[in-house]
Amino acid sequence: MKRIINIVFLLLTVLSITAQKKDISKAKDYLKSGKNFEQAEQLMQKLLNDTAHRDNKKIWVILFEAQRKQYEQGNEKLYLKQQYDTVALFTIASKMFATAESLDSLEMRPDKKGRVDIEYRKKHAEYLNQYRPNLYNGGTFFINKQKYKEAYMLFNQYIECGREPLFSSFKYNETDTLMPVAAYWAVYCGYKMQDPKLTLHHTYLALKDEKHYELMLQYLAETYKLEKDTLRYFQTIKEGFQKYPRFPFFFPRLIEYYSNHGQWAEAMQACNYALTADSTSHLFRLVKSSILLNMGKYAECISICNKLLAEGTHLADVQLNMGLAYFNQAVELDKTTQQSHSRRIKIIELYKKSKPYLEEYRKRAPNKKERWAIPLYTIYLNLNMGKEFDEIDHMLKK
């Protein structure tokens, strides 16, 4: 029985070798004919799909030649302004690099006697070095088409050339100034795909691209937040704010972080730092008024809001902060156990001052009931405004 199995195995091996030779011969004929390059590629790819053939250097060489001829044919058509699919050109360029790198890896393996024969490295490296910029160009092309997966693949290949032994003589990591930019675009593609692994893969190199540094920090912060890495998220938005206080992404998120943790002193420090960068900013001053409101510094909050209103700001939250600054004072006074006539007059006065600002805020932000409904309910109750009170009471019960 064992002998029969061995005979069958031998026959299958012979048939496989015969089929392999036949496909290799056919692919060579296609290459010599100057056409059917795609068919030659398919024949070699079919052979490589069988693990038994993957150590055959000849197959890889023919596959590379088939891809090279396709690339040159397409490049020529584009140069002559003939109709040709640009996507196909970038795709075949990517394949060419992958094939040459696989062949180089195969050639680096020692044979049974421990010998290494690297025959094609110099030739392939010099050839591909001419066209490596098209990996970068292909990446930008796919970004413009919003095909981020394809763009990432090309930028990644462009960068990885710096680590491939095939291209070691060119020392791309030392000489290619576009490497950090390519890394930035790779990060951008990973970010657009919301893939944390791809976003973070080339982070170290991408942060060397000074032109896009603030955007890099934004992408990293959002990625850390996606991964629920709170510490890194905080560290990144803090660094971004300190370096780029006017960049719109970092300031509101840093303030939000401090607010959520009740760190009002730190929030005020950040706000004052922002105001040193732009003392006229309505947003920075509005946020400062909000912090003062939460810290119970109502007079300072009202002072800032008055100045903003005098400048004609359209920020609705100025009205809210102004109204709440008066309202909160009234509520605090109302909590005291010993109530005098003068204290009651003061409470009513504060509710009256609060009322127009909160009503104006309601007009501007009718959907934000959680902010204005309860305060207006309390005001109308204390001012004996029956009609207005009934309307709010009915709304709250609904």
Side-chain angles (χ1 to χ4, degrees), residues 232-281:
R232 283 188 177 180
Y233 170 74
F234 168 69
Q235 290 172 337
T236 306
I237 57 174
K238 188 176 180 182
E239 179 190 351
F241 170 69
Q242 287 173 343
K243 289 182 176 174
Y244 310 99
R246 295 186 184 186
F247 191 72
F249 178 82
F250 303 110
F251 176 70
R253 286 161 180 81
L254 184 61
I255 295 298
E256 180 186 38
Y257 178 88
Y258 285 138
S259 300
N260 290 341
H261 289 79
Q263 296 175 307
W264 299 114
E266 289 83 353
M268 181 59 75
Q269 187 178 16
C271 203
N272 287 333
Y273 181 77
L275 285 165
T276 60
D278 185 359
S279 61
T280 64
S281 168

Side-chain angles (χ1 to χ4, degrees), residues 324-390:
L324 289 178
Y326 287 122
F327 175 81
N328 288 355
Q329 290 181 79
V331 170
E332 287 179 9
L333 279 175
D334 212 6
K335 284 179 180 177
T336 55
T337 53
Q338 293 182 345
Q339 289 285 356
S340 63
H341 179 67
S342 60
R343 184 181 292 274
R344 189 64 201 165
I345 290 173
K346 179 66 175 175
I347 291 169
I348 296 302
E349 182 186 328
L350 287 168
Y351 280 136
K352 284 180 178 179
K353 285 183 177 180
S354 173
K355 175 179 164 292
Y357 297 109
L358 290 174
E359 287 179 333
E360 179 61 28
Y361 179 75
R362 178 184 180 180
K363 287 179 187 176
R364 297 191 187 189
N367 295 326
K368 294 185 178 179
K369 295 187 180 80
E370 72 282 358
R371 293 186 174 187
W372 53 257
I374 295 297
L376 282 177
Y377 173 92
T378 307
I379 289 168
Y380 294 150
L381 176 64
N382 280 274
L383 298 183
N384 295 316
M385 298 176 67
K387 180 183 174 182
E388 290 82 355
F389 174 80
D390 288 342

Side-chain angles (χ1 to χ4, degrees), residues 93-184:
S94 174
K95 288 182 182 179
M96 225 174 15
F97 275 80
T99 299
E101 288 163 5
S102 295
L103 173 59
D104 192 66
S105 297
L106 179 60
E107 286 198 301
M108 285 194 294
R109 284 192 221 159
D111 62 15
K112 292 178 182 179
K113 295 183 179 180
R115 297 171 300 188
V116 174
D117 179 22
I118 300 177
E119 182 181 354
Y120 290 94
R121 176 178 292 179
K122 188 173 185 297
K123 175 185 173 183
H124 285 171
E126 288 177 352
Y127 176 82
L128 291 173
N129 180 58
Q130 304 171 73
Y131 299 107
R132 180 169 168 265
N134 275 351
L135 294 177
Y136 182 95
N137 295 335
T140 57
F141 172 85
F142 283 121
I143 281 180
N144 289 331
K145 299 289 184 183
Q146 296 185 344
K147 293 184 175 182
Y148 301 113
K149 183 179 179 181
E150 293 84 350
Y152 179 88
M153 182 182 71
L154 290 174
F155 284 123
N156 185 60
Q157 276 189 298
Y158 182 89
I159 297 161
E160 291 299 329
C161 286
R163 301 187 180 99
E164 285 290 337
L166 174 63
F167 299 105
S168 56
S169 62
F170 293 101
K171 299 181 179 177
Y172 291 132
N173 289 329
E174 299 168 26
T175 61
D176 185 357
T177 56
L178 268 183
M179 289 285 265
V181 186
Y184 163 76

